[in-house]
Amino acid sequence: MQRNGGGVGAGGQPWVLRRVRLTWLSFMLFFILVFFPLIAHYYLTTIDEAGGPDKRIFGPRPGGELCEAKHVQDLCRIRESVSEELLQLEAKRQELNGEIARLNLRIEACKRSIDSAKQDLLQLKNVISQTEHSYKELMAQNQPKLSLPVRLVPDKEDPGLPPPKSARSCRLRSCFDYARCPLTSGFPVYVYDTSSYPWGDHIDPLVKQAFSVSVKSNIYVTDNPNIACLYLVLVGELQESSSSPLPSPSDLEKQLKALPYWRSDGHNHVLVHLSRKSMTQNFLYNVSTGRAAVAQSTFLEQQYREGFDLVVSPLVHALSEPNFLEVPPQVPVKRKFLFTFQGERVESLRSSLQEVPPQSFEEEMEGDPPADYDDRIIGTLKAVQDSHLDQVLVEFTCKNPQPSLPTEWALCGDREDRLEILKASTFALVVAPGDGQLVASAGCGMRLFEALEVGAIPVVLGDHSRLPYHQFIRWSEAALIVPKPRVTELHFLLRSLSDSDMLAMRRQGRFLWETYFSTSENVLNTILASIRTSIQVPAAPIKEEPAHEIPHKAGKLAGTDANLADNGDLDLGPVETEPPYASPRFLRNFTYTAADTYRAWNRAPGPFHLFPHTPLDPVLPSEAKFLGSGTGFRPIGGGTGGSGKEFQAALGGNVPREQFTVVMLTYEREEVLMNSLERLNGLPYLNKVVVVWNSPKPPSDDLLWPDIGLPIVVVRTEKNSLNNRFLPWDAVETEAILSIDDDAHLRHDEIMFGFRVWREARDRIVGFPGRYHAWDVNHQSWLYNSNYSCELSMVLTGAAFFHKYYAYLYSYVMPQAIRDMVDEYINCEDIAMNFLVSHITRKPPIKVTSRWTFRCPGCPQALSHDDSHFHERHKCINFFVKVYGYMPLLYTQFRVDSVLFKTRLPHDKTKCFKFI
């Protein structure tokens, strides 16, 4: 027990010491792990702050000390690049801020300049207004005011005129009451309803019906007899009826005097006797017509009052219209027979025209020596036929002679048989009656009508004959009038004529027949027009097509295409653009001269007389009236001279001030149209733009039209027709028209140069794309060719200038068959216009230089891209040739270039000559 106790006590002290040591060791270890890092951190931090940034031990280090690793070097380079870019952007930002500040200063300066310019402009406008007012006052002081005279309505109780010395001495000055026909009256004509009068039952029904139809369509006819200038009475052709006999001359005279407006002597009355047969009785020969004029086909010398009565053509086509396709062509000039004549002489000289005892031939010649040349004519013509020098056809006996007047040559056979002979005849003989007192006869009128109808040149044997409307028509341009004593020289005379002279006479004859003789309407219009021309009353203006405008909204101001506005070295004229200026009005409507009147009747086919309602001298609006010699246009002023600089600063030409109108046809291509209109912005001398909206659909409601600073008139059409391009719209107030397609691209300098050229050749088509026609030998027909060539005969109206006058002719005068074919094919309207102008002027068009391609790139395809386009144009040309009777197009190698114009000439076209 002691040993255990002693052992425990002895061994306990070392165990305590070990435990104390372990505690102390744990405390020291805790102190080292906790407090020593804190002390070290504090110490190190204090050293870094005391040593500065360059002596830091653990802080961030400058330069590339930390970029020694490869993956860090790339990031450093990116950081440096971005830093440089940020510095550059900052510099630019500061620079732009400075530029903005400078521009703001300039804007403020411009605003002040604009305000100052507005003030100056306002002052200039006031000065201009005052100057215009002063000018008007000066003009009013120096020029008297001229207004139309007040129209005096004739008194119902017309006292009449002093009686003439005899009925044969009636002339317009003594038997016509000019007081009923003032210059401003409009030439009103009252037509009696002959069916309500006794002799009306005996009038040929066809004549009566044709006359009634023509009266209804005449623009001069009025229903008010109190204001009438002229009174028209249809008195024949009379024919017997089963119900009652023909009225005697005395009965007819009493019935005429019983007319309600006869006024005792019949002044200002015209008795019209229309013949349908060669044997026409002259019922008015023994009727005292007083101061009434007579218009008929048959006259005796003692009956005819020169300058008062009127010789008219027979009425062959009473109700039927002539078929142009059945009319033979005018070429070749020479036909099978040199001349033909078929007729049988009526031996009896007993005249049924007189109610007096028959007289001998010598007595009827009123003392002239016997001169019956009919036997000599027969012998001479038979000798020519037997000589076989030329193929002629003469027959002096007929199987079926038509009834004719005494001493007249009777017509042989039916009309169709006679026409077949005449179609093969170069000349057709018209032998005047043997009775010298028979100055006009229906038989000779019938022969003349048939010869002109089929293109046989009439040869009238007998210079004493009065041909229809001989006071106005220059018959020497369409027929040969040979005295009977020269019958022996007739063959030599006919052989001496050249082909060009014969073709000119044939063309003139065709024109006279179509204009004055072909239909009943033309016959009536010619009678009225001849009387109106004699008393110097102006014709009614031809109508213009009313432009029914489609409302449209104008958008923003149109810009100017830099390519179109860059005009190179060509000066377009004065810098200052003028406001819209219409062409001057024609001021010669009331001043006629003999030269103008005579030229109007005889120009073939001149512009004056191609109008259906007034075939002799229709007075058109000013922009459609041709005057003057040569080209047929009125001459205006002269040039101002000067050098090239002065020429560039002026418009040129003979009219010092003029503008043109753009007529643009479009069909459902709104975007193309808007681009084309915008290209016209800034075009000098442009008066306005007339857009012919050819689509039945109206423009889109949201369509914004460009504002080009000039009127844009959008015209609604009745139907989709290419003929609408050439309607004489009343919105066109200038003589010059630029017809242009909506997809055509033309520079301003090109348009201006074309306008200058047109002003020097106002009667021709002046344009850019040229075409020509060619003869196909294999198929014996005409072809249309659009290949580039040194020769041309047409200028397409898709980009061409022409005179507004041709719009009237195209729409109202040109045969309807041509316009119908244009509508049928929806093609060929440009060819038709070229045919018309060449037919009238006998001149080719003028081509001016443009770029080789002027069509809109990227535009929707037009009608011309169709495969059938060219086939249809071939057909059109051949059809138009049939209608006109010959090929009116003329070839030319003439092309107009400006010496300042830059032309691209392909290497394969260098053989073409260029005229400047």
Side-chain angles (χ1 to χ4, degrees), residues 539-613:
I542 194 169
K543 66 176 181 178
E544 290 189 296
E545 197 69 22
H548 302 291
E549 188 173 357
I550 301 176
H552 58 280
K553 296 182 295 184
K556 64 179 181 179
L557 183 65
T560 302
D561 192 335
N563 295 325
L564 298 177
D566 182 13
N567 301 307
D569 298 329
L570 183 60
D571 193 346
L572 299 185
V575 177
E576 297 181 3
T577 58
E578 295 185 349
Y581 171 76
S583 296
R585 288 290 177 179
F586 180 67
L587 301 177
R588 292 189 59 197
N589 293 354
F590 298 96
T591 56
Y592 284 91
T593 63
D596 289 337
T597 301
Y598 200 72
R599 183 174 63 251
W601 280 74
N602 296 280
R603 186 177 297 129
F608 279 101
H609 35 25
L610 289 178
F611 292 86
H613 64 281

Side-chain angles (χ1 to χ4, degrees), residues 266-398:
H267 61 273
N268 291 42
H269 278 65
V270 179
L271 307 180
V272 181
H273 187 281
L274 301 178
S275 304
R276 290 187 56 246
K277 298 177 295 185
S278 58
M279 177 62 179
T280 300
Q281 297 297 328
N282 189 358
F283 291 102
L284 298 177
Y285 177 70
N286 287 320
V287 175
S288 177
T289 57
R291 287 190 171 91
V294 177
Q296 61 181 15
S297 302
T298 303
F299 279 103
L300 287 180
E301 186 176 5
Q302 58 267 32
Q303 176 192 11
Y304 181 67
R305 295 168 290 186
E306 186 73 37
F308 191 70
D309 293 329
L310 192 65
V311 180
V312 302
S313 60
L315 185 62
V316 178
H317 297 289
L319 293 176
S320 60
E321 294 286 339
N323 189 351
F324 291 100
L325 299 180
E326 295 180 357
V327 177
Q330 300 183 31
V331 289
V333 177
K334 294 181 180 179
R335 298 177 177 177
K336 178 180 179 181
F337 300 109
L338 177 63
F339 64 83
T340 59
F341 178 78
Q342 291 178 304
E344 184 172 331
R345 183 173 56 174
V346 179
E347 298 290 346
S348 174
L349 292 177
R350 181 173 56 83
S351 177
S352 61
L353 302 178
Q354 308 177 38
E355 293 186 353
V356 296
Q359 299 174 335
S360 64
F361 182 83
E362 290 78 3
E363 292 173 342
E364 292 188 357
M365 294 297 293
E366 294 185 353
D368 292 339
D372 188 359
Y373 293 98
D374 289 352
D375 293 336
R376 186 183 300 179
I377 292 173
I378 294 174
T380 303
L381 297 183
K382 284 185 176 181
V384 174
Q385 186 179 24
D386 295 339
S387 66
H388 300 291
L389 295 175
D390 288 292
Q391 192 169 359
V392 299
L393 175 63
V394 290
E395 296 179 355
F396 301 104
T397 57
C398 300

